[in-house]
Amino acid sequence: MNNRPPISPSPSSSISSYRKRRQRGGPNIIFIIAGVLILGGIILLIAWLAGPSKPISTLFATETPTPTLTFTPTSTSTPTATATVTATATITTTPTFSTSFNYTVEEGDNLTKIVEKYNLGDDGIAWILLLNPYGGVSDSGFPIGVDPTTQNIIPGQVLLLPAPGAPLPTATLIPVDIAPGTKLEYIVQSGDTLAGIAALYNSTEEEIIKENKIEDPSKIFVGQLLIIPANIVTATSTRPPTSTPITPGPGTQLPTVTLTPVN
């Protein structure tokens, strides 16, 4: 084995070696500096993009989906012309009869209303009383005819009514041989006066007023029942009017029979 002492490098070789190492290290430093600069630039760029203004959001903005609007058709009703209904007035006609006819009494009726409804005239109530003589109450509870004192009628009762406009029968002249003072029933008619009635029956106003307890001779009324003392005076051809009968209202007493001797 050779034990040679280490050879010491010469100065020129040391300088050359240093220069080589320097040449090899120079590019590395440049690369490192460049890398640092690039890295710093990247960091600064990221900091700026992510800053308060956040321009990065504009660079990486996600597309916001536009909502699809689905329109639901609105049902629009087409106006239909509605016909205007004009109410037609109901005309209730009252039948006109040429002969006597039956009538069924309705709720709220009275003799005056019936006379007005069928235009029976001034003698209407007297006619009704003549055609419906009172005979009490039937087994069914309905009055037979019309009571001349009360003139009450009830719904469901059937009355015989005269033909509208029919003249009330005139009183039959009393027989010549009738006993003086015979009392007869008489129904006051339109146009009658006490004086005329007295002349018709050979009586006097005073006796008729006394017999019937008449307080006001001027207020006798159509359909009123009077008791006439007949043949108490000599017959006369005149018939002076002194009082005029009035048309009765509801509840006025009316008669039923004419020229019936009173016993």
Side-chain angles (χ1 to χ4, degrees):
M1 169 179 265
N2 294 326
N3 293 322
R4 296 180 180 179
I7 301 174
S8 300
S10 62
S12 59
S13 61
S14 297
I15 294 171
S16 176
S17 176
Y18 171 76
R19 287 179 179 176
K20 290 180 179 179
R21 288 196 303 268
R22 186 175 179 182
Q23 289 176 354
R24 289 196 300 265
N28 293 333
I29 295 174
I30 294 173
F31 289 138
I32 292 173
I33 294 173
V36 171
L37 292 175
I38 293 172
L39 181 60
I42 293 174
I43 293 174
L44 291 176
L45 180 61
I46 293 174
W48 175 74
L49 292 176
S53 59
K54 294 184 179 179
I56 193 172
S57 61
T58 59
L59 296 176
F60 302 97
T62 56
E63 183 179 356
T64 302
T66 302
T68 302
L69 300 179
T70 303
F71 295 95
T72 303
T74 303
S75 177
T76 304
S77 58
T78 303
T80 303
T82 303
T84 302
V85 179
T86 303
T88 303
T90 301
I91 301 175
T92 303
T93 58
T94 301
T96 301
F97 299 90
S98 57
T99 60
S100 299
F101 60 98
N102 288 328
Y103 173 75
T104 302
V105 178
E106 299 177 353
E107 190 71 34
D109 272 345
N110 56 47
L111 295 187
T112 300
K113 287 184 177 180
I114 295 173
V115 169
E116 292 175 352
K117 182 177 181 179
Y118 290 98
N119 299 317
L120 300 182
D122 294 338
D123 296 328
I125 293 179
W127 254 121
I128 294 174
L129 294 174
L130 283 174
L131 295 175
N132 300 274
Y134 184 63
V137 180
S138 66
D139 295 337
S140 61
F142 286 98
I144 300 174
V146 181
D147 187 345
T149 303
T150 62
Q151 296 186 18
N152 289 336
I153 54 177
I154 62 175
Q157 181 180 355
V158 178
L159 299 177
L160 181 61
L161 302 184
L168 193 68
T170 57
T172 303
L173 294 176
I174 62 173
V176 178
D177 58 350
I178 192 172
T182 300
K183 295 179 181 180
L184 303 176
E185 292 182 345
Y186 175 76
I187 298 174
V188 178
Q189 301 179 31
S190 179
D192 273 345
T193 63
L194 286 181
I197 296 170
L200 184 63
Y201 290 98
N202 300 327
S203 186
T204 64
E205 289 186 68
E206 291 75 14
E207 288 297 323
I208 295 174
I209 292 171
K210 178 181 178 181
E211 184 67 32
N212 295 277
K213 298 180 175 58
I214 298 174
E215 296 181 358
D216 188 347
S218 65
K219 292 185 178 180
I220 60 174
F221 52 86
V222 175
Q224 182 177 0
L225 175 65
L226 297 177
I227 305 300
I228 311 297
N231 266 353
I232 60 175
V233 296
T234 303
T236 60
S237 57
T238 59
R239 188 178 179 180
T242 58
S243 60
T244 302
I246 61 175
T247 301
T252 306
Q253 178 180 350
L254 295 177
T256 55
V257 185
T258 182
L259 296 180
T260 302
V262 178
N263 295 328

